[in-house]
Amino acid sequence: MSDAVDYRPLSGLAGNWQGDKGLDVAPEPDGTEESPYFETIRFEAIGDVTNAETQVLAVVRYQQIVSRKSDGQVFHDQTGYWMWDAGQGVVMQSITIPRAVCVLAGSRWAPGDGSAVEVSVAARLGDPDWGIIQSPFMRDQARTTAFEHKLSIEGDVLSYAETTHLEIYGRSFAHTDRNELTRAA
């Protein structure tokens, strides 16, 4: 990543990452399904953007492809951006998935005292700052009400845990995903 752009919490992301320790815990009409998975995430530093001539965001674009270990089939494809606003000390993640759901999650960020860089973002349905948009079908059948994502980068190891809170099949459900990835050579 360029020295001219302040990527601070995002500076360790650029590259291709692979991991095969994933576990997806998802809702089913009659209970819960646990699916071990493998994935690749490609992060690309794309520089900075200026908004209204005052806000400068350092931007990293990504694509995440997730496949079930049981059959090798892709079951999740996600694109988005991680953004850092150094002036406000805010980190953001925009997410788009081809289920007609979009999320803009964010939070304040400060460096920790360990060697890993820890980033956490969150969004809630109806939140005026960090929100969720979904199609009418998803709103009525599988409503996303909240999202939390914790990311840790330490050298060439990236780990994450995310929870998508859903109202689906007549109940509330915390859909979780977690994995540990390594930077590909």
Side-chain angles (χ1 to χ4, degrees), residues 146-161:
F147 174 79
E148 294 121 19
H149 190 175
K150 296 179 182 183
L151 186 75
S152 175
I153 309 157
E154 188 165 7
D156 289 333
V157 177
L158 179 151
S159 57
Y160 71 85

Side-chain angles (χ1 to χ4, degrees), residues 36-165:
Y37 64 86
F38 62 94
E39 69 183 308
T40 59
I41 307 175
R42 179 177 180 188
F43 293 98
E44 180 183 7
I46 61 170
D48 58 22
V49 297
T50 302
N51 291 329
E53 298 184 16
T54 57
Q55 181 190 45
V56 178
L57 301 177
V59 182
V60 176
R61 175 177 40 227
Y62 74 94
Q63 181 174 23
Q64 178 181 18
I65 305 291
V66 183
S67 302
R68 282 189 176 83
K69 282 186 173 182
S70 62
D71 60 12
Q73 295 297 307
V74 172
F75 73 99
H76 185 80
D77 183 326
Q78 176 176 310
T79 60
Y81 298 91
W82 281 93
M83 296 155 284
W84 166 241
D85 179 345
Q88 297 296 313
V90 173
V91 66
M92 297 164 268
Q93 181 187 17
S94 66
I95 302 161
T96 303
I97 60 171
R99 296 179 187 272
V101 177
C102 300
V103 175
L104 179 61
S107 70
R108 294 193 111 359
W109 180 83
D113 54 6
S115 59
V117 175
E118 307 280 340
V119 176
S120 295
V121 294
R124 301 249 179 267
L125 188 61
D127 187 299
D129 297 323
W130 312 116
I132 299 163
I133 298 172
Q134 50 206 320
S135 70
F137 178 87
M138 293 302 283
R139 177 196 64 218
D140 296 342
Q141 301 298 317
R143 178 190 325 255
T144 298
T145 60
F147 174 79
E148 294 121 19
H149 190 175
K150 296 179 182 183
L151 186 75
S152 175
I153 309 157
E154 188 165 7
D156 289 333
V157 177
L158 179 151
S159 57
Y160 71 85
E162 65 182 38
T163 303
T164 305
H165 298 272

